[in-house]
Amino acid sequence: EKKLKSKRSKISSTIAKFLWSKYENSEIAVDLALKKVFDILKFEYKEIFVEDIFFNEASYYSFILLTKPHDCDFFENIELLKKYKLALELEKKGDDDLALNITKELNVYFHNNAVSSGEYRSLSLLAFLHLRNNNINDALTYYIYAAEMAKKTKNSSFICESLYFLSVVYFLQRDFKNTLSSLQELSSFIAISFSQEWKIFCLFMQGRVYLELGEMSKASVFFKLARDFANLYFPHLQNSCNAWYARSCIYEGKIDVGQKILSKETGRLPILFLLESYILFPTILTEKLSKGVVGLYQKYHDIITKCEYNIHDFSCVEDICWYKTYKKS
């Protein structure tokens, strides 16, 4: 380029066109770094590219939702950004009907304008909104579409996310065959893309399936793997994984082992599982143990009553879904 000064613009144009073809074929990461390269090469990219940055770049996506419109002056279609931001705000407030209507409009726009990343995001949001309103069949349909769109984008985060949530919805339908199929596909993709942040969720869900199928030894293996992996890389998830591992041990017959683990953990879930173990597998209730059980119940009750509607435990959410859908206690 230095030798051919007169042809510098032509070289820049050739490089830019090469990169643009990579972008159009979903063969290159769509982020602010790529935008910077195009700017250096003085390449006039289409608006769809900037829209893709917004929906692809997780950190920028989070940042832009908290900023004012003038902070993203290079984003031409600002009304689209405002509309999507509004849909997310309505979802957080619980105004699902309006959020659904806006997200459907956005989905049509993304589909008609071939903004695949935006189409994936809108399909995922539609699926979640239907799931929260207990329309599990509709949620499943949208998650299937979302998974297909994620594969078209070739975005590893989208693919992992869509396959994981697809497995969760199948699980809520008690379709364990398709749950395991989705998780197997997720596991294979994690190995290829090295998306390690999804590994723990994949292991955890596999443990949940085998627990429901009554294969307690398999469940224990997966929960232990999830716990050990969380211990190494994701300590904030270790408590939940350890509680479920202990629960699977109890169901497997290793009651003392499970109860010992649970008694050392803190939070609602370990207390709840420890109480459950005393109910399902009663020992000789001495006066000391009886007082301990009552104390555990009181502790759990106090934690729950302090937060009106702040149930984050997967088991509690799952029970609510199953109760509403199948009228099971």
Side-chain angles (χ1 to χ4, degrees):
E1 186 177 1
K2 286 178 181 178
K3 288 178 181 179
L4 303 170
K5 288 183 180 179
S6 62
K7 295 183 178 179
R8 182 173 295 179
S9 61
K10 186 178 179 181
I11 293 169
S12 295
S13 175
T14 303
I15 295 170
K17 286 177 181 176
F18 171 76
L19 291 174
W20 184 258
S21 68
K22 289 285 185 184
Y23 157 68
E24 289 188 316
N25 292 323
S26 301
E27 296 174 0
I28 194 168
V30 183
D31 52 23
L32 289 171
L34 182 58
K35 178 186 176 297
K36 187 178 180 181
V37 171
F38 281 139
D39 290 340
I40 291 169
L41 296 172
K42 296 180 179 178
F43 179 73
E44 293 185 10
Y45 40 75
K46 299 173 184 176
E47 172 65 9
I48 186 177
F49 172 66
V50 185
E51 292 172 7
D52 265 344
I53 292 175
F54 170 66
F55 292 110
N56 270 278
E57 178 117 353
S59 57
Y60 183 63
Y61 170 74
S62 301
F63 163 77
I64 210 166
L65 290 175
L66 302 173
T67 57
K68 296 176 181 178
H70 66 257
D71 293 327
C72 45
D73 54 2
F74 66 83
F75 196 94
E76 292 176 19
N77 198 345
I78 197 69
E79 291 306 315
L80 179 74
L81 175 58
K82 285 180 180 178
K83 194 173 252 190
Y84 190 77
K85 185 178 179 181
L86 177 61
L88 292 179
E89 288 172 348
L90 289 167
E91 176 267 313
K92 286 181 181 177
K93 290 177 182 176
D95 193 346
D96 292 349
D97 290 338
L98 191 51
L100 268 170
N101 291 334
I102 292 173
T103 309
K104 284 178 181 177
E105 288 177 21
L106 287 167
N107 183 248
V108 171
Y109 169 85
F110 294 136
H111 179 76
N112 291 340
N113 290 275
V115 186
S116 54
S117 55
E119 190 171 357
Y120 166 73
R121 291 284 191 189
S122 58
L123 286 168
S124 294
L125 184 53
L126 286 169
F128 177 75
L129 288 167
H130 280 294
L131 183 61
R132 192 163 71 176
N133 283 280
N134 204 41
N135 300 322
I136 296 181
N137 289 330
D138 289 338
L140 177 61
T141 300
Y142 278 113
Y143 273 127
I144 290 171
Y145 288 150
E148 291 172 357
M149 186 52 61
K151 290 169 187 175
K152 287 182 181 178
T153 67
K154 298 181 183 177
N155 181 311
S156 59
S157 178
F158 288 177
I159 293 170
C160 290
E161 182 183 74
S162 62
L163 288 173
Y164 173 73
F165 282 112
L166 188 58
S167 73
V168 170
V169 179
Y170 277 130
F171 180 82
L172 291 172
Q173 284 192 321
R174 302 188 68 81
D175 184 351
F176 300 131
K177 182 179 178 181
N178 276 318
T179 305
L180 288 172
S181 178
S182 296
L183 290 170
Q184 185 55 56
E185 188 178 357
L186 173 58
S187 180
S188 299
F189 188 78
I190 289 169
I192 295 168
S193 62
F194 204 68
S195 303
Q196 294 298 291
E197 66 273 20
W198 288 98
K199 185 174 179 178
I200 188 167
F201 297 107
C202 186
L203 291 168
F204 177 84
M205 278 305 299
Q206 285 172 297
R208 289 293 290 109
V209 172
Y210 286 117
L211 197 69
E212 291 301 320
L213 290 172
E215 298 183 41
M216 304 308 171
S217 57
K218 279 188 179 181
S220 293
V221 169
F222 280 104
F223 283 132
K224 187 176 185 299
L225 285 169
R227 180 197 67 175
D228 293 345
F229 194 69
N231 187 37
L232 286 171
Y233 304 107
F234 304 97
H236 63 288
L237 297 172
Q238 185 184 356
N239 181 278
S240 293
C241 291
N242 207 24
W244 279 96
Y245 169 62
R247 191 188 198 193
S248 62
C249 285
I250 290 168
Y251 280 18
E252 195 180 357
K254 302 173 184 176
I255 301 168
D256 291 339
V257 173
Q259 288 180 340
K260 189 175 181 181
I261 294 170
L262 291 171
S263 63
K264 292 179 181 179
E265 294 289 342
T266 58
R268 290 168 295 177
L269 203 59
I271 295 171
L272 186 63
F273 287 168
L274 190 56
L275 279 168
E276 179 191 53
S277 72
Y278 288 133
I279 294 166
L280 294 178
F281 306 99
T283 53
I284 299 171
L285 284 172
T286 62
E287 187 177 346
K288 184 179 179 181
L289 181 57
S290 298
K291 287 180 180 178
V293 173
V294 172
L296 276 173
Y297 176 79
Q298 188 59 49
K299 188 177 180 181
Y300 180 76
H301 181 267
D302 291 345
I303 293 171
I304 290 295
T305 51
K306 281 178 184 176
C307 44
E308 275 185 41
Y309 191 73
N310 191 22
I311 301 172
H312 297 296
D313 299 329
F314 186 93
S315 60
C316 295
V317 178
E318 174 195 339
D319 287 343
I320 291 166
C321 288
W322 281 7
Y323 168 70
K324 285 187 176 181
T325 307
Y326 303 106
K327 304 304 176 190
K328 292 189 175 181
S329 62

